[in-house]
Amino acid sequence: MLRSLLLWLLILSSVSTVHAQTRTSENPVTILISIDGFRPDYLERGITPHLNALAAEGARGVLKPSFPTKTFPNHYAIVTGLRPDRNGIVGNSMIDPERPGQMFSLGDAQQSRDPFWWSQVEPIWVTAEKSGIRTATAFWPGSEVAIQNSRPHDWLRFDQAISNAQRVDTVIDWLRRPEAIRPRLVTLYFDAVDTGGHRFGPESAEVNKAIAEVDAAVGHLAEEIAKLERPANLILVSDHGMAATDEAKTIQLDALIERQSYIAVETGPYAAIEPAAGTDRRVHSALLKPHPHMACHEREKFPVHLHYGQNPRVAAIICLADPGWVILSGPSPYPLSPGGAHGWSNDMPEMRALFIASGPAFTKGTNIGLIDNVEVYPLLRRLLGQPEAKNTDATGKPAEILLKK
Ligand code: AMP
Ligand code: ZN
Ligand code: ZN
């Protein structure tokens, strides 16, 4: 009796060893996670044990966002390796000479889901699907759009009301699937930290609460992945940081030009201004002169280091506010004191973004320092076994350092 029990135990343990070996030899899944508006120094607040553990087990760095430091342009830069000027998503709101009278805006479902705006380039999930790699997205700007007639195999309509935990559970369900229908590239997106930062500012108790909640959600995901015993490479990023705003630091366009003479495509830390028909000269002369706390440029003459202004979707005049200042056309749509924003120059330290990479592919303990966010793209390509992309805005050097030889 005892002998047969021992024999059984032996058989069982050898079966589970074989099982574990098969699992670790599987193609690892790549999970790209974005925590919108997460500033890298939030990791030093003592409220992110799970994110810090992932950084300690893997590699870390700081992302320099692309200009403009807004959500859609930067999320698209990360998945295309192209800065907004070349990826076609030049703002959260934008116009296009080919679509007169229309405006793309993040909150306008009809426009933001129209492939026209996204199809200048090919995001990584489209490339992956084309080469037979299954993808699934629990949100990412552009992932709900049929770009070049292709969407992720599994995707969800963006809905802020879906809780952090529900988003993570969706991803876990995908990872639990049998291999034939399991995704090898997954995206996951959290908006709560950005929302808390906008409403209450980056130093608020409310933003800290959101940071801790997202940290717990990521921790739960990491735990479940460990239980599944399936190799996974996690890349955690943010799109931009957050800086405090102040009611006393506003620049009012109404004081410079009458509102009928222009279309304010964007206002806030930067303003994108398109003169209305027949008002070019007036608008140019009112804006293109020195102003306190703001510098306006014609798009063709925009500072070269910001890599912006060549795409015909960039408005005729771009005004940049000084750090902490915001440009308004009428009353502010958001509270400014307390409050927070992003959109300023990508040189501003508070606009910097998160980067953590954790999993079997990465050299443990690497600190890559400050890297352009377009450098995440070559990393994704290599993790998915795709050939090096030509003609992106990335150098590929950070990927070289981060990945094990
Ligand atoms: P921002 O105005 O740059 O702060 O944008 C952040 C906001 O973008 C978030 O609070 C979300 O509500 C919204 N957002 C993020 N992803 C999507 C998406 N895929 N579709 C529509 N809206 C989104
Ligand atoms: Zn954002
Ligand atoms: Zn935001």
Side-chain angles (χ1 to χ4, degrees):
M1 179 68 190
L2 186 66
R3 267 186 57 201
S4 65
L5 187 70
L6 279 173
L7 197 66
W8 260 114
L9 281 175
L10 202 69
I11 292 168
L12 276 178
S13 74
S14 64
V15 165
S16 69
T17 319
V18 170
H19 201 54
Q21 272 169 1
T22 0
R23 287 192 159 184
T24 43
S25 66
E26 280 170 13
N27 268 327
V29 57
T30 299
I31 307 179
L32 175 65
I33 305 173
S34 163
I35 311 178
D36 198 314
F38 192 107
R39 237 165 55 179
D41 60 286
Y42 289 171
L43 292 174
E44 289 149 33
R45 295 187 173 181
I47 52 175
T48 53
H50 300 101
L51 292 173
N52 291 62
L54 286 170
E57 286 157 18
R60 65 182 294 179
V62 172
L63 288 188
K64 182 175 178 180
S66 303
F67 183 82
T69 55
K70 291 274 187 171
T71 298
F72 273 30
N74 278 286
H75 276 90
Y76 216 42
I78 289 167
V79 295
T80 60
L82 293 160
R83 297 192 185 98
D85 217 23
R86 289 184 66 206
N87 74 33
I89 304 296
V90 301
N92 278 348
S93 299
M94 58 185 168
I95 48 172
D96 189 303
E98 284 179 30
R99 290 277 181 102
Q102 292 186 24
M103 195 186 304
F104 170 101
S105 133
L106 164 158
D108 175 340
Q110 202 200 337
Q111 287 294 335
S112 70
R113 292 178 200 157
D114 185 335
F116 168 78
W117 298 101
W118 302 90
S119 297
Q120 290 191 352
V121 293
E122 183 179 292
I124 190 74
W125 60 81
V126 172
T127 312
E129 288 285 345
K130 276 186 184 170
S131 60
I133 296 172
R134 197 176 170 114
T135 66
T137 49
F139 309 144
W140 199 274
S143 64
E144 319 164 34
V145 187
I147 299 169
Q148 301 178 11
N149 289 321
S150 174
R151 279 183 231 250
H153 236 95
D154 298 278
W155 58 275
L156 309 173
R157 201 50 94 213
F158 179 71
D159 182 354
Q160 234 177 343
I162 298 180
S163 70
N164 296 334
Q166 282 172 302
R167 298 173 198 202
V168 167
D169 287 344
T170 303
V171 170
I172 295 166
D173 285 346
W174 286 334
L175 300 181
R176 281 198 187 118
R177 284 178 176 174
E179 188 160 18
I181 56 161
R182 195 187 313 143
R184 273 192 52 211
L185 171 67
V186 171
T187 73
L188 172 61
Y189 166 85
F190 299 104
D191 47 83
V193 173
D194 180 74
T195 305
H198 280 298
R199 293 204 187 133
F200 304 101
E203 307 305 330
S204 61
E206 289 85 351
V207 88
N208 285 347
K209 184 166 172 275
I211 293 168
E213 283 168 6
V214 172
D215 179 76
V218 172
H220 179 57
L221 175 66
E223 252 169 51
E224 291 299 314
I225 290 172
K227 276 192 220 157
L228 283 172
E229 292 179 10
R230 291 216 178 100
N233 290 308
L234 268 60
I235 303 178
L236 288 115
V237 297
S238 63
D239 48 353
H240 50 71
M242 184 66 67
T245 50
D246 186 335
E247 267 161 13
K249 293 184 180 169
T250 62
I251 301 144
Q252 190 48 256
L253 290 176
D254 284 350
L256 302 171
I257 33 172
E258 69 283 12
R259 233 180 271 175
Q260 315 80 275
S261 64
Y262 65 95
I263 301 158
V265 181
E266 294 253 20
T267 56
Y270 84 100
I273 307 288
E274 189 68 17
T279 64
D280 282 45
R281 215 163 42 81
R282 258 204 343 272
V283 175
H284 279 66
S285 62
L287 293 177
L288 298 173
K289 57 184 183 192
H291 302 278
H293 309 296
M294 168 174 93
C296 298
H297 309 268
E298 287 171 288
R299 67 188 186 100
E300 297 81 6
K301 296 183 189 153
F302 206 59
V304 176
H305 72 279
L306 295 174
H307 302 282
Y308 196 66
Q310 302 306 307
N311 196 302
R313 291 179 178 175
V314 175
I317 298 175
I318 302 294
C319 300
L320 269 175
D322 286 351
W325 286 74
V326 294
I327 305 164
L328 299 174
S329 172
S332 170
Y334 310 104
L336 295 171
S337 305
H342 50 86
W344 289 280
S345 162
N346 58 350
D347 289 330
M348 188 176 158
E350 292 95 326
M351 293 299 102
R352 288 180 183 165
L354 177 74
F355 180 79
I356 296 171
S358 176
F362 304 106
T363 314
K364 188 179 164 169
T366 310
N367 188 341
I368 193 78
L370 184 67
I371 58 170
D372 286 352
N373 67 353
V374 288
E375 299 291 353
V376 175
Y377 177 73
L379 195 57
L380 293 169
R381 281 190 78 102
R382 285 186 54 172
L383 289 169
L384 296 171
Q386 296 296 303
E388 196 182 327
K390 300 274 177 287
N391 202 20
T392 69
D393 288 326
T395 64
K397 284 182 194 145
E400 195 64 43
I401 298 167
L402 288 159
L403 291 169
K404 279 185 192 155
K405 296 285 166 309

